[in-house]
Amino acid sequence: MKKFAFSFLNIFLLTFMLLIFGPAEIFFANVTEFEFVYGEFAGYLAAAALGGALFAAGVLTVMPDGLYRAVMSVIFGLSVAGYLQVMFLNGQLDLLGLNPEGYQVSTGAAVGNLCIWLFIVAAVVALAFVRKKIWKGMVAYGAAFLLCIQAVALVSLLVTAREDAYQHKTQEWHLTGGDQYVVSEKENVILIILDYFSNQDLLEVQAKYPDVMNCLHDFTYYSNTDCNYYGTYPSIAHMLTGKGMDASIPVNEWFQNIWTDQDTLSFYEMLREKNYTVNLYTPDIHYLCGTNDPELLSACFSNMTDSVRNVDVFYKLLFKTMTKMSCYRMMPELAKNAFYTEGSEYADIISYEEDVLRHKNADFYRGLLDEGVRTDKNSNYFIIQHLLGTHEYSTTAECAEKPGSTLEDTARGCMVMVEEYLEQLKRVGAYDNSTIIVTSDHGDMVDSQVIFYIKEPDTHREVSAETNAPISLHELRPTVAAAAGLDSALFGQTIYDFAQDEQREREVWVRDSDVRYTIVQNYVEDRIGYANIYKIYRYTGDYGDLLRQIEQNQYDVAQMVDSFF
């Protein structure tokens, strides 16, 4: 019985870390990013941790002594190394699937990290055969100690958690997707945002698929477009309000300011006066309002509603995802990429019986084929379709879902989706009366220039036009205003105010973490933010000039008050 208890204690430490404490710490630190609640996975994973430890302990107790000590040593060594990895070696770990290329680490760092793991495991194994009594005490007391300190931390997390960590808000303001494929018979301004699609990525895609953008033959390609801000936050909010980033105030205060600014309210009020319905389709409203009440957006977007939604939970995916994220957090550098979890994976855990909003490329494409574009004869429409784009390499060249796809195939699939949308606009007679913009909210941290294609009403070409006019996403809102027949001068310069080969200074803000500056908290939870500064790169010319500024570390710094990520 003592041997069984000793075995169980050691094994339960590992399963507790992987299936109980790890998922809890991830969940409570990122609770606003998840739509599921703690009780929907905690009990099941706890039962798996306990049951797995009991079963494994029973198996271990019947092993020969030498093999028993070796296996027990490896298990304890992995637990200790995993604890050290989480506490001291992970650094600023991307837990939310923000990088389309997965987890990135240098070979040297990965090898050095692996050496630490191997040394810890080897030392425990060696002690088991050289000093058995000392080894037994170290494993027993060490496992008990690590269990206790993590159990205390777990209790603290449970007691201090936000209310929405435990229960769904079935009635709150949210964006509805019921009219995602509705356009006007009269006039449309349609903005298609393919997330994370840079000009440099386009060059790579065209090397494999030279005809990838042929469906945009009626469009003009602005090949020198600056995104202004790296990241969906703050870029999407900037695109829709025209308000620049203010890093000197908290994130939530900035959101409050930009959506209550009279200039923002006037823009959307003027659209309504022109009989425009404004529908926004984006999956995560926190990128627009933080933890402010989403009602903040109801004055601007027509498809904001506070109706009741019935929640469906995909439990199998929930358990798998939380386990993967916990393993990713605890594993050595070399193994992390095998457990890297894309952001859309945890987004798929929760669905709604109504108000379905399609963001993933394959989902949007499938909805097009199943439902089709339909028209409304009573209103003009300004439509913002924020789609996954190349933020994850998860789409085939035919626009089917495929985790672990490539940039080239994903981008090709995106354009299959866009082409189908354009063809359906033609079939319902809404293509010629539409201004259509295909762009992205941002590129990579270095490849930060983005694709930007625009088609004006009644424009037809055999081949798309191209200009290197130095524009940026800051000109998007005035351009939309001009397309909708508003006085665009009230909102700034449009893309048409800049000419081929013109020289103009622009700037792009890139978030970063720099130990020379004060470390800041995350904007919503009591944890350290992933970034603490913006590097502001200013350049005149094209992407080559921007790249030189980046390579030469020529930037100004804006210190953050708190970090969105």
Side-chain angles (χ1 to χ4, degrees):
M1 190 64 186
K2 285 185 178 180
K3 186 177 183 181
F4 177 83
F6 175 61
S7 304
F8 171 78
L9 178 65
N10 186 30
I11 299 166
F12 186 60
L13 168 63
L14 185 60
T15 61
F16 178 87
M17 293 170 68
L18 283 174
L19 297 177
I20 298 178
F21 183 66
E25 193 166 49
I26 291 167
F27 175 78
F28 288 117
N30 301 281
V31 65
T32 57
E33 306 293 338
F34 302 131
E35 294 188 79
F36 49 88
V37 297
Y38 183 65
E40 287 168 339
F41 68 87
Y44 296 97
L45 292 185
L50 182 60
L54 288 170
F55 175 77
V59 173
L60 273 175
T61 54
V62 299
M63 285 184 177
D65 184 62
L67 180 60
Y68 171 78
R69 278 184 280 164
V71 173
M72 286 282 286
S73 298
V74 169
I75 291 172
F76 182 69
L78 291 175
S79 298
V80 172
Y83 179 80
L84 295 176
Q85 183 73 40
V86 170
M87 294 299 296
F88 305 109
L89 303 178
N90 273 340
Q92 296 295 300
L93 196 64
D94 169 22
L95 287 169
L96 300 177
L98 301 176
N99 184 2
E101 295 182 347
Y103 184 72
Q104 302 292 309
V105 64
S106 68
T107 302
V111 171
N113 180 258
L114 181 62
C115 288
I116 295 173
W117 276 71
L118 292 175
F119 174 78
I120 292 171
V121 173
V124 179
V125 171
L127 189 63
F129 291 93
V130 176
R131 293 287 187 270
K132 181 179 177 180
K133 188 174 181 180
I134 295 175
W135 165 80
K136 192 171 183 179
M138 180 186 71
V139 171
Y141 289 111
F145 174 74
L146 291 177
L147 268 174
C148 285
I149 59 174
Q150 290 177 94
V152 169
L154 176 61
V155 171
S156 177
L157 289 172
L158 295 173
V159 170
T160 60
R162 298 155 49 99
E163 181 181 349
D164 56 1
Y166 297 111
Q167 60 184 14
H168 289 287
K169 293 181 179 178
T170 55
Q171 184 167 0
E172 63 174 342
W173 284 92
H174 62 277
L175 294 165
T176 174
D179 291 335
Q180 191 162 4
Y181 299 117
V182 175
V183 298
S184 173
E185 285 186 5
K186 301 175 182 179
E187 297 178 5
N188 296 287
V189 181
I190 301 173
L191 174 61
I192 301 173
I193 302 171
L194 302 175
D195 210 311
Y196 218 115
F197 203 147
S198 74
N199 280 332
Q200 300 305 304
D201 283 347
L202 178 58
L203 294 176
E204 293 185 38
V205 174
Q206 288 175 322
K208 181 174 182 180
Y209 298 110
D211 63 344
V212 65
M213 309 305 277
N214 282 5
C215 66
L216 304 182
H217 53 83
D218 293 334
F219 290 65
T220 298
Y221 174 40
Y222 282 76
S223 61
N224 189 12
T225 302
D226 192 278
C227 70
N228 299 122
Y229 300 99
Y230 166 68
T232 301
Y233 169 85
S235 185
I236 289 285
H238 168 246
M239 292 170 73
L240 298 179
T241 65
K243 298 295 173 284
M245 184 70 237
D246 185 352
S248 69
I249 60 176
V251 167
N252 283 322
E253 183 179 342
W254 181 70
F255 278 132
Q256 180 73 28
N257 290 350
I258 65 174
W259 292 110
T260 57
D261 187 277
Q262 188 55 51
D263 176 70
T264 300
L265 296 173
S266 294
F267 173 72
Y268 289 98
E269 178 60 32
M270 290 170 69
L271 284 172
R272 283 192 293 274
E273 290 173 356
K274 286 281 188 178
N275 195 32
Y276 271 87
T277 294
V278 182
N279 285 342
L280 167 65
Y281 303 102
T282 188
D284 192 342
I285 209 165
H286 294 109
Y287 282 91
L288 291 173
C289 63
T291 58
N292 292 297
D293 189 331
E295 187 178 4
L296 181 66
L297 307 178
S298 62
C300 300
F301 302 110
S302 307
N303 63 324
M304 285 293 297
T305 177
D306 63 346
S307 60
V308 175
R309 294 189 290 179
N310 295 316
V311 177
D312 285 332
V313 182
F314 188 179
Y315 285 99
K316 183 178 179 180
L317 180 60
L318 172 56
F319 304 150
K320 173 188 172 184
T321 300
M322 294 309 296
T323 302
K324 274 182 63 181
M325 293 176 77
S326 182
C327 290
Y328 167 72
R329 168 180 171 270
M330 184 173 161
M331 290 293 151
E333 304 286 356
L334 274 177
K336 284 190 185 300
N337 213 31
F339 298 96
Y340 187 79
T341 307
E342 301 283 7
S344 65
E345 185 169 331
Y346 60 74
D348 286 343
I349 292 166
I350 292 292
S351 61
Y352 298 94
E353 296 177 7
E354 58 284 308
D355 294 348
V356 176
L357 193 155
R358 296 170 177 86
H359 173 67
K360 295 173 72 172
N361 305 321
D363 288 346
F364 184 82
Y365 182 61
R366 189 163 50 248
L368 272 176
L369 299 179
D370 293 344
E371 296 184 23
V373 169
R374 58 192 190 274
T375 57
D376 176 2
K377 63 182 180 181
N378 297 315
S379 175
N380 301 321
Y381 274 75
F382 174 33
I383 302 165
I384 304 105
Q385 303 278 13
H386 175 208
L387 304 171
L388 184 59
T390 60
H391 203 297
E392 295 176 8
Y393 302 155
S394 58
T395 310
T396 69
E398 295 76 32
C399 204
E401 188 166 353
K402 180 189 175 183
S405 184
T406 64
L407 164 64
E408 293 83 0
D409 284 356
T410 296
R412 174 69 172 183
C414 287
M415 298 317 299
V416 167
M417 169 186 66
V418 170
E419 182 172 14
E420 179 63 28
Y421 190 60
L422 299 181
E423 289 301 317
Q424 292 201 24
L425 289 176
K426 293 174 184 176
R427 283 199 290 271
V428 299
Y431 182 78
D432 282 337
N433 67 9
S434 299
T435 298
I436 305 172
I437 299 170
V438 180
T439 187
S440 183
D441 52 342
H442 64 96
D444 202 347
M445 295 178 72
V446 176
D447 302 336
S448 59
Q449 287 206 334
V450 293
I451 62 167
F452 192 100
Y453 287 80
I454 185 169
K455 182 201 77 72
E456 292 82 6
D458 299 310
T459 300
H460 299 279
R461 300 187 180 95
E462 292 296 321
V463 180
S464 62
E466 182 174 337
T467 176
N468 66 4
I471 68 167
S472 76
L473 294 183
H474 192 66
E475 286 79 64
L476 176 67
R477 191 176 62 134
T479 303
V480 169
L486 309 183
D487 183 358
S488 62
L490 294 173
F491 306 105
Q493 293 176 294
T494 73
I495 62 172
Y496 305 113
D497 292 321
F498 302 95
Q500 173 83 7
D501 297 326
E502 182 175 340
Q503 296 294 294
R504 173 197 181 193
E505 184 179 80
R506 290 168 293 170
E507 63 182 38
V508 59
W509 290 42
V510 179
R511 67 176 182 267
D512 201 358
S513 179
D514 191 326
V515 296
R516 294 174 296 179
Y517 297 90
T518 303
I519 301 300
V520 300
Q521 298 294 108
N522 178 262
Y523 82 109
V524 66
E525 294 296 333
D526 187 20
R527 63 176 171 85
I528 300 299
Y530 292 141
N532 63 340
I533 65 166
Y534 287 104
K535 292 180 177 178
I536 306 172
Y537 296 97
R538 295 186 173 89
Y539 67 104
T540 302
D542 57 15
Y543 172 71
D545 298 291
L546 171 60
L547 186 59
R548 278 189 287 276
Q549 294 294 98
I550 294 173
E551 290 175 342
Q552 296 170 11
N553 284 319
Q554 298 295 314
Y555 59 84
D556 294 328
V557 171
Q559 296 186 55
M560 297 179 182
V561 172
D562 56 6
S563 173
F564 184 87
F565 295 101

